[in-house]
């Protein structure tokens, strides 16, 4: 049996849990913990993670089949799953040590990218501040991925072309605050609240220049670069 078939069987196994807690997700405006735990336990969050980090390195179409299978059961669960696995695709921008620390086997990386946060250089890394909207799955995240513009002495750092110097960053979820403001009529279970952080330190290697990817990390070869 292939990995894809195993994961599709896993979706069928946890279908009763997803269905049971779908009304709670709509009522509480976030994916329920038992559903997130079931998707984590069965490895769904690792479908596009490299084998070096405990993932399955599935091809895109196989991944889409699994997301589709979850979404047929509950749209909020499918939305949260696709958001998390999509953020795995930003891992190749980070160096090998950061990728291993951020995208480990138990990781659930989520995020949003606008507006960009503020990054202030300090010894060993950056202090990150800012508030970003529409962070689906925030309550079950292990890290928040996003953009940050570098500031020096209160001024935005610009490159030679006059553009903001932007980094892709990761911030531990434990260092951020979820702002309870996802009050909508539809997709309530996606839990797409704002996330705020204030003067949070992250090490230098948890950032990377945001530019076209030239050389991915060692774990991101083969299927990921084909």
């Amino acid at each position: 049996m292939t990995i894809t078939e195993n994961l599709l069987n896993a979706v069928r196994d946890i279908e009763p849990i997803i269905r049971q807690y779908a009304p709670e997700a709509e009522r509480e405006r976030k994916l329920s913990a038992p559903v997130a735990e079931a998707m984590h336990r069965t490895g769904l969050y690792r479908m596009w993670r490299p084998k070096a980090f405990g993932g399955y390195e599935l091809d895109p179409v196989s991944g889409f089949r699994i997301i589709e299978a979850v979404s047929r059961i509950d749209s909020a669960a499918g939305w949260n799953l696709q958001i998390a696995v999509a953020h795995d695709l930003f891992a190749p921008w980070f160096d090998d040590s950061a990728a291993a620390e951020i995208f480990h086997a138990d990781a659930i990386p989520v995020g949003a990218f606008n507006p960009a946060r503020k990054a202030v250089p300090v010894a060993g890394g950056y202090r990150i501040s800012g508030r970003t909207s529409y962070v689906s799955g925030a309550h079950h995240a292990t890290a928040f991925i996003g953009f940050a513009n570098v500031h020096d002495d209160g001024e935005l750092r610009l490159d030679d072309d006059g553009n903001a110097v932007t980094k892709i960053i990761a911030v531990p979820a434990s260092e951020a605050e979820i702002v309870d403001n996802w009050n909508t009529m539809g997709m309530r279970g996606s839990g797409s609240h704002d996330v705020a952080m204030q003067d949070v330190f992250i090490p230098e290697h948890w950032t990377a220049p945001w530019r076209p990817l030239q050389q991915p990390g060692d774990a991101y070869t083969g299927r990921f670069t084909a």
Side-chain angles (χ1 to χ4, degrees):
M1 187 174 293
T2 67
I3 293 173
T4 302
E5 290 169 335
N6 283 334
L7 291 176
L8 287 170
N9 285 337
V11 173
R12 286 188 281 272
D13 289 342
I14 66 174
E15 179 174 353
I17 297 174
I18 298 174
R19 290 195 182 280
Q20 177 183 350
Y21 287 97
E24 177 185 300
E26 288 294 298
R27 183 175 65 254
E28 300 296 327
R29 297 172 294 115
K30 62 182 179 181
L31 187 70
S32 71
V35 173
E37 291 165 2
M39 293 199 295
H40 176 272
R41 183 182 69 252
T42 52
L44 301 189
Y45 288 117
R46 292 182 279 126
M47 68 173 75
W48 286 333
R49 197 160 297 163
K51 292 178 180 178
F53 301 154
Y56 297 118
E57 295 190 11
L58 284 189
D59 63 275
V61 172
S62 295
F64 295 152
R65 289 178 62 195
I66 293 161
I67 294 167
E68 182 180 51
V70 173
S71 300
R72 283 194 177 112
I73 303 168
D74 177 52
S75 60
W79 181 266
N80 274 259
L81 176 61
Q82 64 88 16
I83 285 290
V85 298
H87 280 80
D88 259 78
L89 305 182
F90 292 98
W93 271 262
F94 296 90
D95 73 18
D96 290 343
S97 59
E101 292 164 7
I102 301 164
F103 300 91
H104 52 81
D106 291 323
I108 304 176
V110 306
F113 293 82
N114 291 296
R117 300 179 178 97
K118 179 180 180 180
V120 177
V122 294
Y126 293 87
R127 291 285 180 180
I128 306 297
S129 300
R131 176 169 166 172
T132 306
S133 301
Y134 305 116
V135 187
S136 302
H139 290 83
H140 310 293
T142 56
F144 294 118
I145 312 299
F147 293 148
N149 293 331
V150 179
H151 287 68
D152 301 302
D153 298 322
E155 297 294 329
L156 181 65
R157 184 188 297 180
L158 303 177
D159 63 18
D160 292 340
D161 296 321
N163 300 312
V165 173
T166 301
K167 298 264 190 176
I168 186 168
I169 64 167
V171 174
S174 59
E175 299 293 325
E177 175 191 0
I178 298 172
V179 181
D180 190 343
N181 66 344
W182 184 241
N183 300 298
T184 63
M185 294 182 65
M187 289 296 289
R188 290 166 58 86
S190 70
S192 304
H193 301 266
D194 286 12
V195 167
M197 51 197 69
Q198 182 63 41
D199 205 32
V200 175
F201 174 79
I202 60 171
E204 173 73 35
H205 72 293
W206 275 43
T207 77
W210 181 241
R211 60 193 179 198
L213 182 62
Q214 298 175 339
Q215 181 61 49
D218 291 342
Y220 294 89
T221 57
R223 184 186 300 277
F224 289 104
T225 56

